[in-house]
Amino acid sequence: MSTEDVKQDSTNGTLGPFSKDYASSLDAADSLAHFRSNFYIPTVTDLKRPTLATPPDEGTAQPCTYLCGNSLGLQPVRTAEVVNAFLTQWRTKAVTGHFVDHTDSPLPPFVDIDDHAAKLMAPLVGALEAEVAVMGSLTANLHFLMSSFYRPSRKGEGRWKILLEGKAFPSDHYAVESQIVHHGLDPAEAMVLLEPTDPRYPILPTEQILETINQHASELALILLPGVQFYTGQYFDIQRITSHAHSHGILIGWDLAHAVGNVDVRLHDWDVDFAAWCSYKYLNSGPGAMAGIFVNEKYGKVDAEGSTPKFWPRLSGWWGDDKSTRFQMTNKFVPRPGAKGYQLSNPSALDLAAVVASLQIFNETSMADLRQKSLRLTTYLEQLLDALALKKPGLFDMVTPRDPSERGAQLSIRLAPGLLDSVLENLEHAGIIVDERKPDVIRVAPAPLYNSFLDVFRFCHVLEAALDKSSAASKS
Ligand SMILES: *Cc1c(COP(=O)(O)O)cnc(C)c1O
C-alpha cells in the first residue's frame, strides 16, 4: 500500500483512518508485520517494576507502545541465544575458540567474528563488503576517520576548515572541535557552521548547504554531516551533497547514527568518502554496542609492491594488519585491503554476538522493503497528528520536514510552551515510550522492523487525552 492509498482510504468512509479497525487492517496487510515477534517489547508492568525479576503472581501484562527505537532499539529474541553461544564457545574452547569452526554455532571462530558482522552490515548501508568494518564506537571511530580524512594545510593556506552543522549532535561537535585543536588550529576559525534560518525549525535546505559549500569551497578540507538529523529527523540528500562536495575537491563523511536501519542509504553508489554509525539505535544491538564504519574502496587500496607498501594514511593497530601476517608479529604494518585495514583492536566478541544476532534479522528482509513500510507508517502517523492538530489548534506542530523523502521514521513534534513534562508524564503513565528534547520537543519514531500501525494509532489516541489533560492543567 502506498502513501496515496492511505490518503484515498481516508476519504472512502468505510474504515476511516481514525478508527482502530483501520490501523488493524493496515497491520493485516503489512508483509513485514511478522518481524515484530522477533523482539521483546517491555510490558507496562516491566517498566514500572523496581526489580528485574517478574513476581510469580503478575500474570500477563500489556506490552508498552515503544516508539523510541531511534534512541535505543529493542532486544531481539535471538540475542540471548547468540550471546549464549559465545559464552559456550569461550567456556568450552578457550583460546582455541579463536580458530575452530563449530558446526552448531551461530557464530564463526572469534578471529572471524568481525568480518562476519561486516558482511551482514554491508547490505544495510549499500556498501561493498570490503568497504565496511564493525569496530569500536561511534565517536571514537569519527576520530579515527578524521585522522585519515582531515589533514589540513596550515591556517590561511589551502584547505584547513571543516563544515558541519551549528546544531550537530554534541559528540560530533566535540570530535570536530578537538581534531582542529589537535592540528594546532583554532576552532573559532576552522569550523564552518551551518545555521538554520529559523532556529525553531532548524531544517537545513539542500540549496543552503550547497551554497555554503560554494562560499567556503577553496578552504574546506572536510565536510561532516548527519544522514538523518537527530533532532529534526531531516534526511539529508546524501548523494547530491556528496557529489557537490566532490565537484569542489572536498572530502565528505556522513554520521549515519540515525540513518542506518532507518533509511535506504547507498554509500557505494553515492560515492561517499567515509561514514560512521552506532548499532544501538535502529540496529537493536544493545546499549553502546560495537559500531560500523564505511570507507570508500578508493581509500582501501593497498599497494604492497616494493619495499614500502602504499596505502591511505591512518592511525593503525594490529587488527588492521593483513590477516595472513597478523600473527607473525613482524612490526611491519601492511593493512588489509578495504575498511578492515582501518581496524585497531581485536573486537569484543561478546559485544559482536549481539550485533550479529540483530543483523541476521535485517538480512531476512531488505532496507528497500523496510523503507517502503517506514514511509507508510510515518505518513500514517503524520496523518493522525494533522487531524489531531486541527481538533486542538495551537497545542503542537511539526518540526520534521513534510516531504517523506526528506525524513526517516522519526517525527519531531514541538509542544506549546509548558506542556512537555505533563504530556510526557501522561504518555508514560499509559505505557507509551517516546523521548524528549527539552524544552518542548518530543521525538516519535515508529521503527519499521517492529512497530505496527496499531502502535501509531494508540500513541495518537493517548496523545489526544494527554494534551487535553495537560492544557487544562496549564490553564488552571
Ligand atoms: C547517538 C549519536 C552519537 C553517540 O555517540 P557514541 O559515541 O555512540 O556515544 C553520536 N553522534 C550522533 C549524531 C548520534 O546520533
Side-chain angles (χ1 to χ4, degrees):
M1 178 178 274
S2 70
T3 308
E4 273 313 299
D5 296 327
V6 175
K7 295 220 169 90
Q8 272 165 20
D9 270 65
S10 72
T11 51
N12 77 11
T14 45
L15 267 188
F18 311 116
S19 73
K20 194 173 175 184
D21 287 348
Y22 180 72
S24 300
S25 74
L26 294 178
D27 283 328
D30 169 17
S31 62
L32 302 181
H34 61 283
F35 281 107
R36 184 177 174 90
S37 63
N38 281 266
F39 292 87
Y40 289 115
I41 302 171
T43 66
V44 178
T45 42
D46 280 339
L47 294 171
K48 289 182 179 158
R49 200 189 310 115
T51 57
L52 288 181
T54 317
D57 56 354
E58 188 168 285
T60 48
Q62 183 202 353
C64 77
T65 301
Y66 195 79
L67 296 165
C68 208
N70 56 332
S71 186
L72 182 70
L74 293 176
Q75 182 182 133
V77 171
R78 70 181 74 178
T79 300
E81 183 191 321
V82 182
V83 168
N84 265 321
F86 156 78
L87 289 172
T88 308
Q89 198 163 320
W90 175 29
R91 183 174 68 241
T92 59
K93 305 298 161 94
V95 73
T96 64
H98 275 304
F99 306 105
V100 181
D101 228 333
H102 303 95
T103 51
D104 58 349
S105 176
L107 293 171
F110 297 141
V111 285
D112 295 326
I113 191 168
D114 46 354
D115 288 5
H116 183 59
K119 182 188 167 118
L120 295 174
M121 186 77 90
L124 274 62
V125 292
L128 305 177
E129 190 180 331
E131 289 173 319
V132 171
V134 178
M135 62 183 250
S137 55
L138 173 54
T139 308
N141 289 344
L142 285 173
H143 274 297
F144 291 130
L145 289 164
M146 280 193 277
S147 79
S148 279
F149 291 95
Y150 176 55
R151 297 187 301 133
S153 55
R154 275 190 304 210
K155 176 183 162 183
E157 288 173 24
R159 301 181 178 279
W160 55 291
K161 297 186 176 180
I162 303 182
L163 176 74
L164 70 161
E165 311 159 88
K167 291 280 178 297
F169 193 94
S171 207
D172 300 47
H173 187 98
Y174 303 152
V176 168
E177 192 172 46
S178 57
Q179 282 283 327
I180 287 169
V181 171
H182 180 70
H183 286 282
L185 296 164
D186 179 359
E189 297 173 330
M191 284 169 103
V192 179
L193 299 179
L194 278 163
E195 300 291 355
T197 44
D198 180 355
R200 277 176 54 81
Y201 299 94
I203 304 302
L204 293 166
T206 305
E207 295 306 330
Q208 183 190 339
I209 299 172
L210 303 188
E211 186 47 41
T212 311
I213 294 173
N214 292 344
Q215 276 165 25
H216 299 272
S218 64
E219 292 187 314
L220 286 175
L222 180 67
I223 299 170
L224 182 69
L225 290 172
V228 172
Q229 218 279 346
F230 76 96
Y231 181 81
T232 62
Q234 179 184 357
Y235 178 17
F236 285 64
D237 191 338
I238 298 178
Q239 182 173 24
R240 204 162 152 223
I241 298 168
T242 298
S243 136
H244 191 77
H246 288 170
S247 74
H248 287 289
I250 306 164
L251 293 169
I252 180 161
W254 292 90
D255 183 328
L256 301 182
H258 282 262
V260 67
N262 176 10
V263 289
D264 188 18
V265 295
R266 304 290 167 100
L267 299 182
H268 179 81
D269 290 348
W270 297 345
D271 201 28
V272 161
D273 293 311
F274 69 89
W277 56 91
C278 54
S279 57
Y280 48 83
K281 293 174 180 168
Y282 291 98
L283 292 192
N284 313 314
S285 302
M290 210 154 256
I293 65 164
F294 167 90
V295 177
N296 192 298
E297 63 175 347
K298 285 183 277 197
Y299 306 108
K301 295 209 170 87
V302 178
D303 175 3
E305 300 293 313
S307 55
T308 324
K310 294 188 195 66
F311 50 88
W312 190 260
R314 66 199 69 183
L315 292 180
S316 312
W318 76 315
W319 220 252
D321 222 339
D322 190 314
K323 252 184 152 175
S324 62
T325 55
R326 186 187 281 164
F327 291 97
Q328 290 173 11
M329 308 298 185
T330 58
N331 284 353
K332 181 166 189 258
F333 181 70
V334 181
R336 298 177 66 182
K340 294 167 188 81
Y342 288 74
Q343 296 181 139
L344 289 95
S345 289
N346 90 94
S348 161
L350 169 57
D351 192 320
L352 282 182
V355 175
V356 164
S358 159
L359 294 181
Q360 283 178 352
I361 304 174
F362 278 91
N363 277 265
E364 289 166 15
T365 172
S366 67
M367 280 316 302
D369 286 351
L370 282 168
R371 174 66 170 155
Q372 282 313 308
K373 171 173 175 185
S374 178
L375 287 167
R376 293 193 294 273
L377 202 54
T378 297
T379 300
Y380 177 59
L381 171 60
E382 180 184 42
Q383 195 181 14
L384 295 188
L385 286 171
D386 281 346
L388 189 53
L390 281 179
K391 260 166 111 178
K392 320 237 166 260
L395 292 187
F396 69 92
D397 60 5
M398 193 90 79
V399 175
T400 306
R402 289 302 193 140
D403 179 345
S405 70
E406 291 177 18
R407 66 188 186 207
Q410 168 189 328
L411 294 182
S412 304
I413 303 164
R414 182 188 302 285
L415 300 172
L419 293 185
L420 181 75
D421 287 342
S422 163
V423 165
L424 276 177
E425 202 179 297
N426 280 292
L427 290 176
E428 210 178 295
H429 185 74
I432 307 250
I433 308 289
V434 294
D435 85 354
E436 58 175 318
R437 281 291 176 265
K438 287 202 152 75
D440 45 25
V441 167
I442 56 176
R443 302 186 303 173
V444 185
L449 200 50
Y450 51 73
N451 281 121
S452 62
F453 291 86
L454 262 178
D455 285 337
V456 169
F457 175 84
R458 183 152 186 275
F459 163 74
C460 291
H461 190 68
V462 174
L463 178 65
E464 178 167 1
L467 286 169
D468 281 341
K469 280 189 213 155
S470 307
S471 60
S474 77
K475 279 186 202 116
S476 64

